[in-house]
Amino acid sequence: MFAKSIRTTGASLCLAAALSLAGPSSAFAGKEVDSDWPNMTWEEILAEAEGQTVNWYMWGGSDIINSYVGNWVAAQVKERYGITLKRIGIDSTVDAVNKVLGEKEAGVSRGGSVDLIWINGRNFQTMKQGGMLFCDYMQKMPNDQYINWDDPTVAFDFGIPVDFCEVPWGRAQMVMVYDPTRLENPPKTIPELIQWVKDNPGRFTYPAPPDFTGMFFVKHVLYSTAGTYEPFIGPFDQTVYDDVAPQLWSTLNDMAPALWRRGETYPADRAALHQLFANGEIDFTVATHPDSVGKDIDKGTFPPTTSSYVLDDGTVGDVHYVAIPYNAAHKAAAMVVANYLISPEAQLEKAKPSVWGVRTALDLTRLPDEWQQRFIDLPRHPAVVSDADLARAALPQPNSEWVKPFEDGWRKNVAAKN
Amino acid sequence: MVLAGLREVAAEGGSRALWRRRSLWRWLAIGLLLTWLILPLVPLVIWSFSFSWFFPSTLPSRWGMRAWEYAFSPTASVLPALWDTIVIAGGTVFLSLLIGVPAGRALGLHVFRGKRIVEFLVIAPTIVPPLAVVLGIHVVFIRLGLADTVIGVILVHLIPVLPYVTLVMTGVFANYDPEFEDQARSLGAGWVRTIWYVMLPAIFPGLMVAGLFAFLISWSQYVITLLIGGGQVQTLPLLLYSFARSGDNALTGALSVIFILPGLLMLLLTSRFLTGRNQVIGGIGR
């Protein structure tokens, strides 16, 4: 309120009026995030945050996630900090990025409509490169102590240095999903899987890149073909690409005739892949959140006999974050919400299989013993891979600079040839 | 349409044999139309009550209310979205008629220099994708404070809606005989009474058709609502699309049913006005 009334009435003339308009809680501090940010204490931020509304733009395609954020988190921040959390469901994070970009182009550098975005990977890269992010606020957040910024999977988002411009919120890792009643011994490595596909024509496929899930599969074949992931977590290197790409395309083209519908067409996205698997047309699908497999069985999306596993040669995982745009109207409240999201209780609630069931972004060794135990004691759906197995098989995401060349390459060399 | 057909059937009871033959064709056409309209909606309804439904089963193996429970829970915000969609569609109908009726009258009744150019400009939004225009309008709306508001969304909905409203009204006025207005004026009616008692009753069926078009086009807008409303103005298509893309068929089914019902309701409510028997007007709905 305070910030907004100053901005709209303009200049110091109206300071008295602004003070009388703003509530007593925000007036006493006399500082506001937009101008006095570096000198503010956490208490002053809390004071400014009270009574603000946070517009949180996030993908809205899951009723479970919508409920966790819209009911549980919203009620908690309302009660604890007097903040109204408004979840704004969008179909794709790009919509929120474009919105901030549109505001930037229109010269709205203050009072922007997006306060918080659920983000990672290329969208983060776009916003960071475009100077569209508010950064360096983690040091003030009390719960930052639970984040291990020395962990490269946290400090690098798809190979891009996070540089304290986003707050880690949860972890994901790809798992293979299959039905043991149809297939007793699923292939355990990428080369075995490719052989299995050739031996069982029509029973496997992957979504066409640039679909996110489809690119997951291409990345695994890439790592397997190259024999290492190391060159791909750094910046793009044309010589490495020229060296490995032809092998990758020939591997994918070799297996294409044995894919579902002879590789003449590919499913559009993960939802389509899941449906093919659930309907028994193919024998595998992949999940990018290990715990979503249990959820999808409970929801009736997958048959009850479904199970999941990780490949012995590893599966790619990543961290997802929340970020505050540079022009957010309610930065103080957005920081308070972000801080609450990485509190042990909010992370534990999120990790419960009955709620959302996503792995925590916190470094458990930094938590008090009783909290560590609560995370260890979390029940796990029998179809979901254990944390130990996931950790053992974790591979990093390639740097996002590599993604576009491989997407274009797939279109030219695989899609066009079959 | 159905009711209109029935009324005509009842009115034309002259020759029995002719009546019977005509009514057979009529019923066949009505039946075909209903099947065409309703059959594709059946799977949506079934999905909305399904818990799990896998190929090759004809019906879900387990039924459940998960989708409907979520759809009516406060988290889903379906009811506020339904209200916003109604307000936006209603506002769009009102404004588009306010602009489209005078425009249609000018184009339908008068010949003037540059009429072809005006006509072309009126239909231009159906040729140029609204998205291209709206991207530019967005920047202007942010500066005017219209972005993220219901009013802003109503204003951009006018872009795809106005060509249809204006074209329908042009057609109506092309068959309109303004001499009836002169008669009313010579009998002492002022222009307000002339519009109210002569013009409006005469063009009423056309007004209904144009309004129905406006309502349905506004009701189903996605991209331009998202861009101007910025997610803060949540309409049903926005919610529906999120779930359809994520592959949650039960929820998509439930939301689709909620999405389609008002449109069908409008169609049924307005269809009885579409017979249009009035000597002032040449013909629409005949």
Side-chain angles (χ1 to χ4, degrees), chain A residues 143 146-148 171 342-344 347 360-364 367 375:
Chain A
N143 290 332
Y146 304 126
I147 305 287
N148 179 6
R171 270 173 206 282
I342 56 169
S343 66
Q347 289 277 314
T360 179
L362 306 181
D363 178 359
L364 289 183
L367 297 186
F375 275 95

Side-chain angles (χ1 to χ4, degrees), chain A residues 330-354:
Chain A
H330 313 107
K331 291 197 186 77
M335 278 187 273
V336 174
V337 170
N339 178 61
Y340 184 68
L341 290 177
I342 56 169
S343 66
E345 63 266 24
Q347 289 277 314
L348 183 75
E349 180 74 13
K350 184 167 166 257
K352 286 179 187 164
S354 57

